[in-house]
Amino acid sequence: EALHQEAVDRDLLALRLSQNPALPLRDATEVRHAAALGWSLDVNRATAADWGRLPGCGREQVDLLLRLQKGGVQLSGPEDLRAVLELDAALLASWLPLLSFRWYGEPPAPAGPVPVAVNLASARDLAALPELTAERCARLLRERARGSFRDLADLRDRLGLPPAVVERWIARAVSYTHLRAH
């Protein structure tokens, strides 16, 4: 009977989606059903409406993702998305059936495991970030003195970083926890 109910729920969702393709999905079950129906979300090309369909994806998260996308930053996998949005593991797992991580161009080299707290780190500690030249480091310190970086998109915008550099920094400096001054 559970399999029959699952099929009925999937068919009902298919009908609702055919009537309203922008329908927000309510929960992980609807996400799974939508994926089974062939729906997907290309993380590196998704629109605000696409992100807004995912249960638990808030306006601030959508804004951050779109600002990064507009700046040319791509996410290479679920861990990048988790790091950028500081997602709970269960919420990320609920979205995974719909997510596709297509890469447009050359993928970034893997980053090292130790995050750098860019709003707190010394110039010496900041040197651990890939491609942080002396000039970029000086600019980072000047910008940080004006005010803490809100998120990775703010950091990218204020430092004028190329997308490839930001992509290499995602696992190293993107977490809001590591960006926020405590």
Side-chain angles (χ1 to χ4, degrees), residues 1-8:
E1 185 170 309
L3 290 176
H4 175 69
Q5 186 60 47
E6 187 92 2
V8 169

Side-chain angles (χ1 to χ4, degrees), residues 3 11 18 23 36 51 64 77 84 86 102 125-126 128 131 153 158 165 179:
L3 290 176
D11 291 344
S18 70
L23 180 74
W51 286 112
L64 173 58
V84 167
E86 288 193 332
R102 293 188 182 95
D125 291 339
L126 289 169
E131 299 184 46
R158 288 169 54 189
V165 171
L179 284 171

Side-chain angles (χ1 to χ4, degrees), residues 1-17 26-27 29-30 32-34 37:
E1 185 170 309
L3 290 176
H4 175 69
Q5 186 60 47
E6 187 92 2
V8 169
D9 291 345
R10 189 175 47 247
D11 291 344
L12 286 172
L13 180 63
L15 178 62
R16 289 179 29 235
L17 287 170
R26 296 181 291 201
D27 55 31
T29 301
E30 284 195 354
R32 275 195 331 275
H33 290 326
L37 293 167

Side-chain angles (χ1 to χ4, degrees), residues 42-59:
D42 181 347
V43 169
N44 292 314
R45 295 293 187 259
T47 65
D50 295 332
W51 286 112
R53 296 178 65 190
L54 293 176
C57 189
R59 178 176 287 236

Side-chain angles (χ1 to χ4, degrees), residues 86 115-121 144 147-150 173-182:
E86 288 193 332
V116 175
V118 296
N119 280 327
L120 302 170
R144 183 174 77 184
S148 294
F149 298 102
R150 292 185 320 267
V174 74
S175 170
Y176 291 128
T177 306
H178 298 108
L179 284 171
R180 270 191 238 119
H182 298 299

Side-chain angles (χ1 to χ4, degrees), residues 137-157:
C137 185
R139 186 189 292 132
L140 188 152
L141 292 171
R142 281 193 309 271
E143 285 295 321
R144 183 174 77 184
R146 289 181 46 221
S148 294
F149 298 102
R150 292 185 320 267
D151 51 43
L152 189 62
D154 183 42
L155 179 71
R156 185 199 62 78
D157 291 344

Side-chain angles (χ1 to χ4, degrees), residues 65-86:
L65 290 164
L66 294 179
R67 287 187 297 137
L68 289 171
Q69 188 182 87
K70 184 178 178 183
V73 174
Q74 297 184 74
L75 304 177
S76 60
E79 282 307 305
D80 283 354
L81 184 61
R82 185 203 55 73
V84 167
L85 298 181
E86 288 193 332

